[in-house]
Amino acid sequence: MFDINKIRSDFPILNRTVNNKPLVYFDNGATGQKPKQVIDALVNYYSNQNSNIHRGVHTLSREITIAYEEARQTIASHINAKQVSEIVFTKGTTESINLVTYCFGKIELNEGDEILITEMEHHSNIIPWQIVCEEKKAVLKYIPINEAGELILEKLPQLITSKTKLVAFTHISNTLGTINPVKEMIVQIRSLCKAAVLIDGAQAVPHLKPDVQDLDCDFYVFSGHKLFGPTGVGILYAKQHWLEKFPPYQTGGGTIKTVTLEKTEFADPPLKFEAGTPHIEGGIGLAAAISYVNAIGFEAIQKHENTLLDYATKKLLEIEDIRIYGTSKHKTSVLSFNVGNIHPFDVGSILDKYGVAIRSGHHCTQPICKFYNIPGTIRASFAFYNTVEEIDVFIAALKKAIRLLS
Ligand code: PMP
């Protein structure tokens, strides 16, 4: 059963006040809060388990190596990877994408080749492709968006050519909330060309459980911190054959089989891509977060979040001069909006006085802002621990902010 009071009691931060008001945390698109099950895993790590992994024969090292590799297995099972070796620990979504652009660029891209991304990508899924395309004299193309903030997929057949080497797109837009039809897109892409497919799952994993085999994507990337796990840890899922073909991204301890003064023989994936001491407690904390959300269940999470989204959308639209950006029927619990000509930062600062944490700005998606010709938006993004009562507090504070700023 979905017991909101029990769930909220798992998140210590939800008990705090901000400016003498109970915290209303609606900035889940930026990062998720952590349940005590995750915090306890981190405390337990430093209190009882701290040691380095993979190379020690002593008990602590052996124990933590097992725990870290079990965490990798938990993550592999969660996204239904075929093999645990397809899971590479990284710093986060950004590093996972940089790893793919670097390695893919090095072995697959030649002059005149094409990479296709979309106009709704986070900067993390734009800039690395711009750089690698410039280096390789490849062409970067974009799938456009429409007024509702959806991809114009009718353009796919025109945009894809025999030179398209990779298509990368977000599963869910962090600014618009749009849930892209990723499975259908992959089927269509596969019918048109042999390109590899990368999905940016940063905003999807807090709301749904991706199945990478069912999707048949080549790469799926996400960050631990948005999935209620620690910061500084993320995942690159890649089909095994890519990891075998890819050169190492960074090199150093942990990536090797043997080193002589003349040459190095690299370890098998995923270790080949995990140079240096990793974020050990991050991996363990992320596995704890995954176990936590699975115990609640994504069906229940989605049902609750849809209730929040519908209620907040209705309440927002009752306010004069509100414009919501991202009105797709298929969207998650993200509301990006503006009120008349009021600057998003001014609204954000006043809401903070009432204890309400939202985000204002371009959300690292400047091309989306350019599309709508706006400096940014006010973004309220909900997680499963948020409530309808919190939305009432937010709407009341927003009305006061509008009165003050109009
Ligand atoms: N992609 C999307 C869609 C995101 O929302 C974010 C974070 N806002 C990122 C990539 C980058 O994630 P991180 O900063 O954790 O690397």
Side-chain angles (χ1 to χ4, degrees), residues 29 92-95 97 122 124 170 172 174 200 202-203 223 225-226:
T93 307
T94 304
E95 190 181 47
I97 296 172
H122 187 279
S124 292
T170 194
I172 294 183
N174 60 312
D200 174 352
Q203 292 294 334
S223 303
H225 67 100
K226 303 214 199 247

Side-chain angles (χ1 to χ4, degrees), residues 166-202:
L166 184 139
V167 188
F169 43 89
T170 194
H171 197 157
I172 294 183
S173 161
N174 60 312
T175 300
L176 306 164
T178 314
I179 305 172
N180 287 320
V182 286
K183 189 168 177 193
E184 292 75 6
M185 286 172 71
I186 293 173
V187 168
Q188 199 184 356
I189 292 162
R190 300 257 184 259
S191 75
L192 293 164
C193 67
K194 290 195 160 58
V197 173
L198 178 142
I199 301 180
D200 174 352

Side-chain angles (χ1 to χ4, degrees), residues 92-230:
T93 307
T94 304
E95 190 181 47
S96 299
I97 296 172
N98 273 275
L99 191 160
V100 175
T101 50
Y102 173 87
C103 297
F104 191 89
K106 210 160 183 176
I107 63 167
E108 291 289 321
L109 269 192
N110 294 305
E111 189 169 342
D113 283 343
E114 295 172 7
I115 300 281
L116 180 61
I117 63 173
T118 88
E119 281 181 6
M120 69 162 70
E121 297 312 306
H122 187 279
H123 295 166
S124 292
N125 201 22
I126 298 177
I127 306 166
W129 298 114
Q130 287 178 338
I131 305 263
V132 76
C133 285
E134 197 177 309
E135 257 170 39
K136 293 285 178 167
K137 298 195 171 63
V139 181
L140 184 57
K141 292 177 157 182
Y142 295 87
I143 304 172
I145 57 173
N146 63 22
E147 277 294 314
E150 298 163 319
L151 295 174
I152 306 180
L153 293 172
E154 296 72 39
K155 300 255 183 205
L156 260 183
Q158 283 156 257
L159 288 164
I160 288 182
T161 74
S162 59
K163 292 195 171 280
T164 311
K165 284 291 169 69
L166 184 139
V167 188
F169 43 89
T170 194
H171 197 157
I172 294 183
S173 161
N174 60 312
T175 300
L176 306 164
T178 314
I179 305 172
N180 287 320
V182 286
K183 189 168 177 193
E184 292 75 6
M185 286 172 71
I186 293 173
V187 168
Q188 199 184 356
I189 292 162
R190 300 257 184 259
S191 75
L192 293 164
C193 67
K194 290 195 160 58
V197 173
L198 178 142
I199 301 180
D200 174 352
Q203 292 294 334
V205 288
H207 306 290
L208 55 85
K209 189 172 157 131
D211 180 332
V212 292
Q213 287 192 71
D214 182 53
L215 289 173
D216 190 30
C217 52
D218 293 271
F219 309 101
Y220 195 98
V221 298
F222 60 96
S223 303
H225 67 100
K226 303 214 199 247
L227 181 44
F228 319 104

